[in-house]
Amino acid sequence: MALHFVTDDAASAQPGEVVVLTGAEAHHAAAVRRVRVDEAVTLGDGRGAWLSGLVTAATPKQVDVRVTGREEHPAPSPRFVLVQALAKGDRDELAVQAATELGVDAIVPWQAARSVSRWDAKADKGLGRWRTIVREAAKQAHRAWIPDVEGIARTADLVRRAGTDLVLVLEPSASDRLTAVAAEASDGRDVVLVVGPEGGIAPEELSALEGAGARLVRLGDTVLRTSTAGAAALSVLSAAHGRW
């Protein structure tokens, strides 16, 4: 499979034109992935544009790609959104990376009541880190659309969202299995998966979400870590909606 790179210039490039990679993307292509002249590669803008091309020049500072083909990939519908509670260490980052590789369309960091990690004044830094992880994971997975990373949410924000989207809260004690509700029509609404922190979702949060229209669901008889629950749930959704 051809190596894939991301550049905003892919948005308008047409067959026959040359797209120039510079900066970090050129260094990654030439010095890390070691692309060579006449090698076939693909390029995208992360918003649906998909180009095929041949490398015509390659140095760590500049890589030139002559476009040989162009496709447009429509945005997925319905969107799969992961609301990932902040977690200690790198557990939330592992969750974000895996979710991106597995097809999530948007990610929302959640400052849950039981989140040990607190972004507070460092929210901008945290969002920047998650967006970098998402971009690199999407590129590695050859995704035409790079998932959006939205601003940090509080529980009240999720409660409001439950009034408009299909919100599925992963809760080990729930009576409904995700497999039983995953294929339900969402009428174009976002399908939102809510994953709690290490200590689980607080009872008052579960009550507020359920009262606003969210559904509590479980994956099975085992309790997964916050770093793996979202990825497992996305796999179920992807199969149920025909993406896999």
Side-chain angles (χ1 to χ4, degrees):
M1 181 178 290
L3 297 175
H4 181 65
F5 303 100
V6 176
T7 173
D8 290 341
D9 292 340
S12 58
Q14 299 296 323
E17 298 178 353
V18 174
V19 174
V20 179
L21 303 180
T22 58
E25 200 71 358
H27 182 270
H28 179 71
V32 179
R33 304 308 300 271
R34 299 187 180 278
V35 296
R36 296 292 181 260
V37 172
D38 292 332
E39 183 172 355
V41 299
T42 58
L43 304 174
D45 66 347
R47 309 307 298 171
W50 191 267
L51 310 179
S52 54
L54 293 174
V55 176
T56 58
T59 71
K61 291 187 177 180
Q62 181 174 319
V63 174
D64 296 347
V65 179
R66 183 171 298 280
V67 180
T68 59
R70 179 184 179 92
E71 301 176 17
E72 295 291 341
H73 292 230
S77 180
R79 292 197 316 160
F80 296 162
V81 180
L82 173 66
V83 174
Q84 175 63 51
L86 302 185
K88 63 182 179 181
D90 61 353
R91 290 179 181 175
D92 49 15
E93 294 181 356
L94 290 172
V96 167
Q97 181 182 48
T100 301
E101 293 178 11
L102 291 168
V104 77
D105 302 307
I107 296 172
V108 181
W110 175 30
Q111 187 74 73
R114 292 178 175 174
S115 288
V116 175
S117 175
R118 315 295 294 186
W119 279 5
D120 299 325
K122 57 181 182 179
D124 288 343
K125 181 179 179 181
L127 286 171
R129 172 67 177 162
W130 280 28
R131 285 169 179 151
T132 297
I133 291 170
V134 165
R135 177 186 172 88
E136 293 307 308
K139 184 167 64 174
Q140 185 276 328
H142 290 213
R143 294 193 56 183
W145 285 83
I146 296 177
D148 296 320
V149 178
E150 301 178 14
I152 189 166
R154 308 288 174 174
T155 301
D157 299 318
L158 305 188
V159 168
R160 284 191 290 271
R161 195 158 195 161
T164 57
D165 298 327
L166 176 59
V167 177
L168 305 176
V169 183
L170 298 185
E171 167 54 40
S173 65
S175 57
D176 291 335
R177 290 178 180 265
L178 178 59
T179 50
V181 301
E184 291 187 5
S186 62
D187 301 322
R189 295 179 296 164
D190 288 350
V191 180
V192 182
L193 289 169
V194 180
V195 178
E198 302 95 320
I201 302 174
E204 61 272 19
E205 292 174 322
L206 290 173
S207 178
L209 288 166
E210 194 171 21
R215 298 188 63 172
L216 307 188
V217 295
R218 61 190 174 96
L219 282 165
D221 297 328
T222 58
V223 178
L224 301 183
R225 292 179 182 271
T226 187
S227 56
T228 56
L234 281 166
S235 299
V236 174
L237 285 179
S238 293
H241 285 260
R243 292 196 185 185
W244 287 11

